[in-house]
Amino acid sequence: MAKDEKVTKDNIVEHMINKQLEYVGKTIEDVREDPNWFTNNTLTKEQYTEWKEYCLKLMKKHLARKHRLEYEFGMFDLMYGLKVIEESND
């Protein structure tokens, strides 16, 4: 998905994954061949919180009702979320 491509119900998952991977300087294409991409890349707690807030706003706009947002994000995070660590990798 190109950065300027409009987010829709059909591409929202790819967009959210790419947004998450931006924190580690990667895209879906960069990790496509790594079956452990979600544990080989990590976010700090601060990065995770920022990404989660971004995703919840996006999901509210495109997918779910307010009361289901946390549940829907939790399921997405469970399937595609990177591991969160205490310290950054810098």
Side-chain angles (χ1 to χ4, degrees):
M1 176 174 172
K3 277 194 171 196
D4 56 347
E5 187 176 342
K6 184 176 179 175
V7 177
T8 66
K9 286 183 180 181
D10 294 328
N11 67 14
I12 193 169
V13 170
E14 183 176 344
H15 178 80
M16 289 167 58
I17 293 170
N18 271 321
K19 182 66 176 178
Q20 174 181 225
L21 289 170
E22 279 181 21
Y23 290 99
V24 294
K26 296 183 181 175
T27 67
I28 286 178
E29 292 305 315
D30 298 330
V31 300
R32 193 169 300 278
E33 300 299 319
D34 180 2
N36 297 314
W37 65 272
F38 49 87
T39 55
N40 291 336
N41 299 280
T42 59
L43 299 177
T44 65
K45 286 184 179 185
E46 182 179 281
Q47 289 171 323
Y48 176 81
T49 299
E50 185 178 304
W51 173 69
K52 180 179 177 182
E53 288 173 7
Y54 174 85
C55 288
L56 288 173
K57 286 178 186 175
L58 194 66
M59 291 169 69
K60 180 179 178 183
K61 181 177 179 183
H62 293 282
L63 295 178
R65 294 187 177 115
K66 250 183 177 177
H67 68 280
R68 292 209 32 133
L69 286 176
E70 285 288 336
Y71 172 79
E72 295 294 340
F73 177 79
M75 296 307 295
F76 173 83
D77 187 30
L78 182 63
M79 292 182 354
Y80 302 108
L82 298 181
K83 183 170 83 173
V84 177
I85 60 172
E86 294 293 325
E87 300 285 326
S88 71
N89 289 334
D90 298 332

